[in-house]
Amino acid sequence: MSDRPRVVVTRRLPQPVEDELMRLFDARLNPDDEPLSAEELKQAIASADALLPTVTDRVTAEVLGAPRRTRIIANFGVGYNNIDVEAARAQGIAVTNTPGALTDCTADLAMTLLLSVARRAGEGERHLREGSWTGWRPTHMMGTKVTGKTLGIIGLGRIGQAVARRAHHGFGMRILYHNRTPVPDEQIAGLDAEFRSLEDLLAESDFVSLHCPATPDTRQMINASTLELMKPGAFLINSARGDVVDEAALVDALRSGALAGAGLDVYEGEPAVTPALVEMDNVVLLPHLGSATTETRVAMGMRAVANLQAFFNGDPPPDRVA
Ligand code: DGY
């Protein structure tokens, strides 16, 4: 029997991360990569010192209320709305995440969505692949110019700031932002970013990009009433969490032409996507790829490992959120 801490890892992780977990811990990997059921999660926390879950695991109060040995949950991801953090805190279980590791790649993906939907890249690619392209013509697939437009960022944390830098320095965009509290000037130097109320940001922005966490306060923040405030012909980009957007209301706004398009990487009922969105050519849909680069996924895993190591060495885990 191993005297190393037992860690249940709920999904396959990049090989170097799994190797490191095996080297340091009594790691129980998931070679089949099947998501764990609530029952399996309960068994995991009953038998392991630590759980290393991902966004696809619902670590609910019920799961955490079951008999347990687990003392730390090291989430693989910066967003941790998959974990009932209040319940974990009440049970004295530490929770950590992986901030920083995925900032650049998630910001790159938000720009991918923004550019793709504005310039009709997905639609154009489908058109070409299905053999419908008959050649260049001046009025073919005219999209919307991005350079110099106004980008409204909701949630100017690490990822929101990285998007703002790309948009402002790379595409000359004017940056507006809405945040729980205004961000200190020195943190956003050179961006000329202007704070706005949510209402004003929606009314003034040509593109609105969501970068806030999923919390009870942000749940369906983009709904029928707030969509109505958006500038006619604007675009919505969501690479944060599906919970922030009421997808049915978004479909209505796209159908009526109030919005010109949307670029989405995350969904309310992931991996299910509202079927009407799949039918729309002015919507770019990606399968939650924000952090999906080899470099970033390895870095996220190593960060989770560092949190576990610190905890079991008796040190404060660097990314403790509860
Ligand atoms: C994150 O880190 O939040 C990604 O969306 C995966 O969970």
Side-chain angles (χ1 to χ4, degrees), residues 178-191:
H178 179 71
N179 211 46
R180 270 170 306 184
T181 48
V183 178
D185 284 347
E186 57 277 15
Q187 255 184 54
I188 48 174
L191 289 177

Side-chain angles (χ1 to χ4, degrees), residues 6-264:
R6 181 177 299 173
V7 179
V8 168
V9 182
T10 66
R11 302 303 298 262
R12 285 245 35 204
L13 297 180
Q15 197 61 53
V17 181
E18 291 194 343
D19 292 347
E20 192 64 352
L21 283 162
M22 293 297 280
R23 190 177 74 78
L24 293 169
F25 306 109
D26 173 17
R28 304 298 163 105
L29 305 180
N30 179 358
D32 297 333
D33 207 15
E34 289 295 333
L36 301 194
S37 65
E39 215 33 62
E40 288 167 323
L41 283 172
K42 283 183 191 168
Q43 282 164 21
I45 70 153
S47 62
D49 301 293
L51 185 68
L52 197 164
T54 74
V55 66
T56 57
D57 300 299
R58 296 270 150 241
V59 188
T60 60
E62 190 200 327
V63 167
L64 294 170
R68 67 177 172 81
R69 169 169 158 187
T70 291
R71 291 190 295 132
I72 176 168
I73 301 173
N75 196 47
F76 182 92
V78 66
Y80 48 88
N81 59 313
N82 52 312
I83 300 165
D84 189 326
V85 170
E86 284 318 313
R89 200 174 276 131
Q91 302 276 356
I93 305 172
V95 179
T96 62
N97 68 345
T98 61
L102 44 69
T103 302
D104 284 326
C105 284
T106 307
D108 291 347
L109 193 96
M111 290 307 295
T112 304
L113 288 170
L114 189 157
L115 291 163
S116 300
V117 69
R119 299 303 308 276
R120 303 174 65 174
E123 190 185 348
E125 212 218 12
R126 285 192 292 280
H127 179 74
L128 181 147
R129 282 181 190 270
E130 76 195 17
S132 307
W133 187 36
T134 54
W136 191 91
R137 61 198 153 86
T139 56
H140 186 219
M141 281 210 171
M142 296 185 294
T144 300
K145 183 173 177 179
V146 169
T147 299
K149 293 285 172 62
T150 298
L151 172 62
I153 296 184
I154 299 181
L156 199 67
R158 287 186 196 81
I159 298 171
Q161 289 174 31
V163 171
R165 281 194 295 277
R166 284 156 174 73
H168 185 66
H169 298 311
F171 296 90
M173 296 182 90
R174 172 180 174 232
I175 307 295
L176 306 179
Y177 77 97
H178 179 71
N179 211 46
R180 270 170 306 184
T181 48
V183 178
D185 284 347
E186 57 277 15
Q187 255 184 54
I188 48 174
L191 289 177
D192 299 327
E194 301 164 44
F195 182 85
R196 289 286 187 277
S197 66
L198 178 63
E199 292 73 17
D200 288 348
L201 178 141
L202 295 173
E204 288 180 54
S205 301
D206 301 300
F207 296 87
V208 171
S209 193
L210 305 177
H211 299 288
C212 51
T215 66
D217 287 342
T218 61
R219 190 172 160 64
Q220 298 206 333
M221 170 194 263
I222 302 298
N223 54 39
S225 327
T226 46
L227 283 163
E228 231 173 66
L229 301 175
M230 284 180 71
K231 192 168 171 175
F235 294 85
L236 180 73
I237 309 300
N238 188 9
S239 57
R241 281 291 183 264
D243 316 45
V244 182
V245 176
D246 175 347
E247 261 171 39
L250 175 63
V251 167
D252 290 344
L254 289 162
R255 271 203 182 120
S256 72
L259 283 195
L264 307 175

